[in-house]
Amino acid sequence: METRYDPKTVEQRWYATWEKAAYFEPRASLTGKTFTISMPPPNITGDLHMGHAMYTLQDVLVRWHRMLGDAVLWVPGTDHAAIATQNVLEKQLSKKGSSKETIGREAWDRMVQQWYDTTGQTILTQMRRLGFSADWSRNRFTMDTDYVAAVNAAFVRFWKAGLIYRGPRIVNWCPRDRSAISDLEVVFVETDDQLYYLDYPVEGGGVISVATARPETMVGDTGVAVNSKDARYRDLVGKMVMLPIVHRPVPIVADDAVEIGFGTGAVKVTPGHDTTDYEIGERQKLEVRNILHLDGRMNIPEVADLDGLKVPQARTRIVEMLRAEGALQKIEPYRHSVGHCDRCNAVIEPLVSSQWWVRMKPLAEPAIRVAEDDMLRFHPERWREQYLRWMRNIRDWCISRQLWLGHRIPVWTCTNGHAVAYLTQPTDCDQCGDSTLTQDPDVLDTWFSSSLWPFATLGWPDSTEDLRRFYPTQVLDTARDILYLWVARMVFMSLHFFNDIPFSDVIIHGTVMAPDGRRMSKSLGTGVDPLVMVDRYGADATRAWCAYFGTSGQDIRFSEEKIKSYQLFANKLWNATRLVIARLPEGSLPIPIDAATLEPADRWMLGRLGAVTRLVSEAFARFEFGPAIDALYEFAWHEFADDYLELIKPRLQAGSGPAETAQSVALHVLEATLRLLHPIMPFVTEELWQRIPHDGESIMFAPWPLPDARLEDPVLLAEMDHLLEVVRAVRNVRHAVDPKVRRQPADLQSPRALLADRVGREYLATLAQLDLSTGLPAGATTRVVVIGQTTVTLGLPSEGGAETQRLGAELRKKLEDIELIQMKLNNPDFTGKAPAAIVERERRRLDEARQAAERLQTLVDPRSG
RNA sequence: GGGCGGUUAGCUCAGCUGGUAGAGCGUCUGCUUUACACGCAGAAUGUCGGGGGUUCGAGUCCCUCACCGCCCACCA
């Protein structure tokens, strides 16, 4: 074996082996249970980024459950991401001076198909490099024929249940995409703007002042609203005002949506272009006037000067006109949020348009209940409240988009005007038999189709074997930004179609930020390519980083050094394995451990393994991977390699008798540790596991280790701690006296090796009197070191220097501690009110501190001992 | 406007039901000891964002302020 672990070839080789052997496909369950995760489908346009690397958490879970013996299925796939993809393709066309309108629908569809065919698999191929054990044979795409059928089925069932309606309502209109978008796809950006105060003349004399950030919409005003409790305006309610410029009379109405304290307390109402105003208009029966074309330009034929202008120009022009009419009172600087399109960043223009809607109240109700009843659990738990808040305040969902890409709405209208939803293209109208049918031109919101993901990927609406076997799923892991867009919607979809939740545990993993704390983004140049990390440090190291930070629930700054530390960890495992199998004939079978020949160090090690096994299993069950990897790192590196392997080295080299036990214990612990680590670091563990004696074809299906509480021995643990303390003290003294000391016997360089046989045969009791002063050069002085109950006699060549001073400082600190504890124990409030166990512990601490002080005294001034 | 999260060693982060602060990286010292220098053995480093309070005792509970980040809202 090489002295270094090289992830590259190992990863490639094992991944190919696993995939070829169909290891990622579900096997028969040994537990009677299944374990299913639907992978959040990445956008087909996207490149792999750190967000996807976080899916490592899902792989950890599925790999763990495979080892537990469950039938495991992790379903991968991709989403067509209608708006995003359309933007990409439109950009391509515009580069060539063309557009989708120019090439026409047919050519466009071909272009889309070609795009899907060529880019579809890239991101999934990249995921393989991270070792993801998803069942690629079940890969799904939201535009697959089967999936389209599921989308249509969902739509038709909603339709039949009366949950879908079409109607004109105010929507968020993106003038660039020329499509409606849902509330969730509007991002609000704080903008420095201006607030305009306009004076509208009131019928019978006087004016009423209104404040607005959008003066250009005044040409669409159909009312002025005041709060009914506002004494200032009470007498004006019911009167008419005359709009400037268009010279159209509109009524003053009372509506309590108006805040008395804001602006002037009077609001111009533009039901056609403002969500709030639309609602006021509905309540007050105000006329809805449209003043915009679908591309966002002014549609105001009665004012030739304005018609066809873009909004900013129209605003300037209207302000001039208002000023000329004396209707502009003042302008104030104003900061407020302006809605932008999530995808193309254009300013959203609310307008009234006929769209398809899903009635949300009946769907939300059960979705609220499952979270309240804790059937649906969130990790971290606080996301439950966020989910509930959204679900409780939900509004109807606008599911139609005026795009050229996506699932067409399966509604056909005949010449007699009968609109009906069909699963497939109908030949004649259900209602009148008319055979001239036209399909609705709109497509569905991407999230309508993706919210069917967990069951549509398993074959729904057909009752397939997969659906029966693997649905509902268990865990859904994703980033928080699609909690409402996707997670919440999957919940109510599943409750509607299955009367069951789609998954029982939702993990919201932290978002990876750039090292400087900014958002990771390609445009900012702050993105980190996970594949570059895989190239540099290996997939295992990259995964370990994700697992470490992923489930803390906190956003995390990217730290390459931490990934690197896991690369070194993999290397450590590699070398520890080299040592353990150095004297083992190739092809050896597992060696059973003979309990009768176990020595204290062996029992200590096995006990520690049991404790770590328990800790890791419990942490995994709580989805807390950070503490799990931490414990495994500490255990494998420091306890197993640094302590145990050093202790048994002499035995390993001896070759027989106790050597065999040491060998078999070391192998046993190593093998179990590899299994515990496998879900997080699959490659290096498989490679090493295959090189040591093992049972089975792959570590992927090796049984998950069970903790053996019988082996955990607190007394032994305390004794080992004591031993290691003795070792440390001896080293310190040596270091104090002469940092450069190196002499025969070499054992002082490696006191653990020196102590090993005492730990073994004579047990720790021999430590009571430990003489390390033999074999020293002439002129050595002798020191006696007391550590707890152990006396160590050391022979050392010269007196100490700087280190003795350090020990002096340590002694002073100890004396301070003693004083502090003393004070505490002298306080009757403490001894009277604190629990007895705590007081007892303080007493013990005091004793220990005194002993330590004594020891330090000896070291600082050898003559005093 | 409302809500949530964060503020702990130089950096990145852990710290469960309150009992005198931990890890990794970095820094410093020594060591090429035949598993590993991608290593080993040691060391140093924190008024736990500020201020109050509860308590025998607070990083941990309560109040309050500040800053950073996120989410929600009919911010005319």
Side-chain angles (χ1 to χ4, degrees), chain A residues 547-692:
Chain A
Y548 180 76
F549 288 112
T551 51
S552 74
Q554 245 21 79
D555 285 353
I556 180 67
R557 295 188 185 197
F558 180 75
S559 50
E560 192 163 340
E561 298 73 28
K562 183 81 176 168
I563 297 184
K564 189 173 180 183
S565 77
Y566 288 120
Q567 179 197 22
L568 302 184
F569 180 50
N571 194 58
K572 188 71 191 179
L573 294 169
W574 176 265
N575 279 297
T577 303
R578 283 178 63 209
L579 173 66
V580 173
I581 63 176
R583 283 157 211 278
L584 208 64
E586 204 149 328
S588 297
L589 297 170
I591 312 163
I593 295 172
D594 178 3
T597 61
L598 286 178
E599 305 204 346
D602 305 327
R603 289 196 287 113
W604 167 76
M605 180 79 298
L606 292 168
R608 288 296 305 139
L609 172 68
V612 168
T613 302
R614 193 157 35 80
L615 188 149
V616 172
S617 302
E618 286 168 4
F620 274 18
R622 287 193 304 268
F623 309 119
E624 288 173 7
F625 302 144
I629 180 75
D630 244 3
L632 285 166
Y633 183 98
E634 161 72 19
F635 173 75
W637 196 316
H638 300 298
E639 297 188 83
F640 178 64
D642 288 348
D643 295 336
Y644 182 69
L645 290 183
E646 289 301 332
L647 279 171
I648 64 166
K649 248 181 197 172
R651 285 163 68 198
L652 283 178
Q653 282 155 8
S656 66
E660 250 168 62
T661 303
Q663 177 80 269
S664 59
V665 170
L667 280 169
H668 172 79
V669 173
L670 174 62
E671 196 269 348
T673 305
L674 293 175
R675 276 187 279 154
L676 291 170
L677 270 166
H678 177 258
I680 296 170
M681 304 180 79
F683 293 112
V684 68
T685 51
E686 176 78 292
E687 175 67 17
L688 296 177
W689 191 79
Q690 297 283 351
R691 286 170 181 264
I692 65 176

Side-chain angles (χ1 to χ4, degrees), chain A residues 344-362:
Chain A
C344 75
N345 211 31
V347 172
I348 293 303
E349 297 291 349
L351 53 79
V352 175
S353 152
S354 222
Q355 301 289 337
W356 292 94
W357 304 85
V358 174
R359 285 183 219 285
M360 284 310 304
K361 283 280 178 269

Side-chain angles (χ1 to χ4, degrees), chain A residues 676-720:
Chain A
L676 291 170
L677 270 166
H678 177 258
I680 296 170
M681 304 180 79
F683 293 112
V684 68
T685 51
E686 176 78 292
E687 175 67 17
L688 296 177
W689 191 79
Q690 297 283 351
R691 286 170 181 264
I692 65 176
H694 62 269
D695 281 322
E697 54 189 330
S698 165
I699 193 171
M700 278 185 64
F701 297 98
W704 184 250
L706 295 172
D708 187 347
R710 289 170 307 173
L711 292 170
E712 290 176 48
D713 182 344
V715 177
L716 184 58
L717 189 64
E719 283 171 343
M720 273 302 288

Side-chain angles (χ1 to χ4, degrees), chain A residues 315-327:
Chain A
R315 182 175 301 177
T316 313
R317 186 78 192 93
I318 284 183
V319 169
E320 282 167 16
M321 295 165 88
L322 287 167
R323 189 175 278 131
E325 285 196 33

Side-chain angles (χ1 to χ4, degrees), chain A residues 27-34 65-71 701 703:
Chain A
R27 295 187 161 191
S29 176
L30 306 176
T31 57
K33 287 189 280 190
T34 59
H65 277 270
R66 256 185 223 111
M67 296 173 77
L68 287 171
D70 296 341
F701 297 98

Side-chain angles (χ1 to χ4, degrees), chain A residues 134-192:
Chain A
D135 184 352
W136 307 110
S137 75
R138 283 175 167 81
N139 184 38
R140 292 290 183 273
F141 177 45
T142 50
M143 293 304 270
D144 287 344
T145 313
D146 289 355
Y147 204 99
V148 172
V151 172
N152 288 346
F155 188 97
V156 169
R157 287 186 197 198
F158 269 177
W159 173 279
K160 286 184 175 157
L163 289 167
I164 284 185
Y165 64 94
R166 179 177 160 86
R169 276 186 41 184
I170 193 145
V171 296
N172 306 298
W173 186 265
C174 173
R176 170 116 33 113
D177 292 325
R178 294 193 202 180
S179 174
I181 59 174
S182 75
D183 293 343
L184 285 174
E185 291 162 304
V186 180
V187 280
F188 287 92
V189 181
E190 284 276 305
T191 309
D192 281 313

